[in-house]
Amino acid sequence: AVIGMVTGVDRGRYTVPVAADADPERRSERTVVAARARELRSTAIVIGDRVQLVGDTSGAEGTLARIVGIEDRRTVLRRSADDSDRVERVMVANADQMLIVVAAANPEPRVRLVDRYLVAAYDAGIAPLICITKVDLADPEPFLEHFSALEVPVFRSAPGAWPLDEIREALAGRTTVFVGHSGVGKSTLINALVPEAERATGRVNEVTGRGRHTSSSSVALRVETAGSAGGQTGWGIDTPGEAAFG
């Protein structure tokens, strides 16, 4: 079987890039669309899973391969059971890091939500990072003081002043899950890192002070890190944020 990583899931179809060295018969990188084999119908296949593909793995338009197996997962990020979903669910597999995006203001930062993200990251065995946006609107230091004992790396940003080089360096060669409350600028950051992503962005409601979720499903995006990171490529996984891990 040919091995590839799941980067997208849509109505029972899985997008799986296959690296150039993964198939000695082809020696070219390509994107394969696949369906799961019947014997895996009760098995969760999620973004980040490394899967075994058989059948037509050429990636040609109109072709469909089959996923017949899942490689052992290094890490698993889970959504806990709650009132809306009584079953704990695997959300992302094989992530190395979690980048928590939070705004200094508009909307106001929420300590308990960031606490939940941190717990999920540590439970999954992945390293947390924090990017605090809109620091032009409020001093972020009192909020960040809540997490200072954890020594989590922090990036500070404002409109027109994203620390993109530093973030790219942190993402180089790693798979990073992006999470964040609606309206904090997560999709804007992803679009700055991966311009072709064209992730939808939304505004914060001036009355409620809350944003609207614009990321309705998870997807893995290739983040080019040429320059300070030595040209390594990383993967950034955009998630529905609070809806996925709240």
Side-chain angles (χ1 to χ4, degrees), residues 35-222:
R36 74 173 73 199
R38 183 177 302 174
E39 57 267 27
L40 295 178
R41 62 182 179 273
S42 60
T43 302
I45 301 175
V46 299
I47 302 294
D49 265 328
R50 290 181 55 79
V51 295
Q52 302 163 10
L53 302 166
V54 299
D56 192 335
T57 60
S58 67
E61 185 176 356
T63 60
L64 187 67
R66 280 190 304 132
I67 298 175
V68 295
I70 303 174
E71 301 283 278
D72 290 341
R73 293 164 171 163
R74 295 183 293 104
T75 62
V76 175
L77 187 61
R78 306 176 188 274
R79 178 190 180 191
S80 300
D82 57 23
D83 291 340
S84 63
D85 191 345
R86 300 304 178 92
V87 179
E88 183 180 69
R89 298 187 185 278
V90 177
M91 303 299 298
V92 174
N94 299 317
D96 304 299
Q97 302 179 136
M98 175 189 288
L99 180 61
I100 302 167
V101 185
V102 59
N106 192 33
E108 292 299 313
R110 296 160 56 183
V111 172
R112 293 182 64 183
L113 178 60
V114 175
D115 281 343
R116 292 203 296 270
Y117 289 143
L118 290 168
V119 169
Y122 289 128
D123 179 66
I126 65 180
L129 312 166
I130 294 175
C131 178
I132 186 157
T133 65
K134 307 181 186 181
V135 297
D136 57 313
L137 299 181
D139 180 4
E141 302 311 317
F143 174 76
L144 292 172
E145 184 63 29
H146 292 284
F147 316 105
S148 60
L150 299 176
E151 298 183 349
V152 177
V154 176
F155 306 96
R156 296 165 177 82
S157 74
W162 290 100
L164 297 180
D165 288 343
E166 293 88 343
I167 293 175
R168 284 194 177 99
E169 186 170 356
L171 269 54
R174 298 177 175 88
T175 298
T176 305
V177 181
F178 286 64
V179 298
H181 177 36
S182 54
V184 298
K186 175 169 64 74
S187 295
T188 301
L189 172 59
I190 290 171
N191 287 338
L193 291 168
V194 190
E196 63 273 21
E198 297 182 345
R199 299 297 277 177
T201 60
R203 296 181 177 179
V204 176
N205 187 298
E206 295 181 1
V207 175
T208 65
R210 299 176 68 89
R212 180 176 60 86
H213 289 295
T214 53
S215 298
S216 58
S217 62
S218 299
V219 62
L221 303 163
R222 198 187 303 268

